[in-house]
Amino acid sequence: MTSLSIVFPVFRGWTHLHDLLDAIRLEDDNGIEVIVVDNACKDGGVIEVRTRHPLTRMVVRKVNGGFAAAVNSGVAVASERVVVIANSDLLTDLATVRVLANSAAASPMTVFAPRVLTRAGDEQIIGHRWPTPWNSARDLFHA
């Protein structure tokens, strides 16, 4: 069983985070360090996470520096060698997280992304072409 840290950057995205944390925290000692990065929200989400999920590490940013800055803040405090970065609206379970972690641990310096589905079950595009006038026009009319 690979130990890992999961970083969830959050900016006003608390709606699904609690279900996700409940799914991952099925066991208190499961070798998973969960880090939630509050990206300068002022909506009380930090207090709710600390109350409902006391084993979760919180990083509270005073300034919203964007997604990448929030990720960097979470990775900076991660204590495990394998780090998973995920959006706070992710729907997953502990077994899936384990598969990702074990795959990453087996191959040093790995960066990968699983197949992503919408809540309706449709495949979600997670990468895009470099924005050029031609690609933008093609995407607009070829959706």
Side-chain angles (χ1 to χ4, degrees):
M1 178 168 73
T2 301
S3 294
L4 71 141
S5 298
I6 305 177
V7 176
F8 296 106
V10 180
F11 182 71
R12 293 187 298 215
W14 306 104
T15 306
H16 303 289
L17 181 66
H18 297 293
D19 291 337
L20 175 59
L21 295 177
D22 287 340
I24 291 172
R25 285 285 187 201
L26 294 176
E27 313 159 24
D28 286 343
D29 186 23
N30 60 13
I32 297 176
E33 173 187 43
V34 177
I35 302 165
V36 173
V37 181
D38 170 37
N39 209 4
C41 298
K42 307 280 190 260
D43 57 7
V46 172
I47 294 168
E48 190 172 352
V49 169
R50 285 184 173 150
T51 301
R52 290 178 60 180
H53 309 281
L55 297 176
T56 299
R57 287 185 74 178
M58 292 294 306
V59 175
V60 180
R61 294 180 46 83
K62 294 181 181 179
V63 176
N64 182 344
F67 182 81
V71 167
N72 290 339
S73 296
V75 171
V77 301
S79 61
E80 301 299 334
R81 188 178 73 81
V82 175
V83 179
V84 174
I85 299 164
N87 289 343
S88 59
D89 62 347
L90 176 70
L91 287 177
T92 191
D93 58 23
L94 187 57
T96 302
V97 171
R98 284 268 165 241
V99 168
L100 291 172
N102 291 335
S103 297
S107 180
M109 302 302 287
T110 302
V111 175
F112 59 93
R115 182 173 174 218
V116 178
L117 304 176
T118 65
R119 292 184 185 277
D122 301 320
E123 189 164 353
Q124 182 173 340
I125 298 173
I126 58 172
H128 300 280
R129 291 185 280 273
W130 188 257
T132 65
W134 172 252
N135 286 339
S136 296
R138 183 174 45 196
D139 290 345
L140 180 65
F141 295 107
H142 227 276

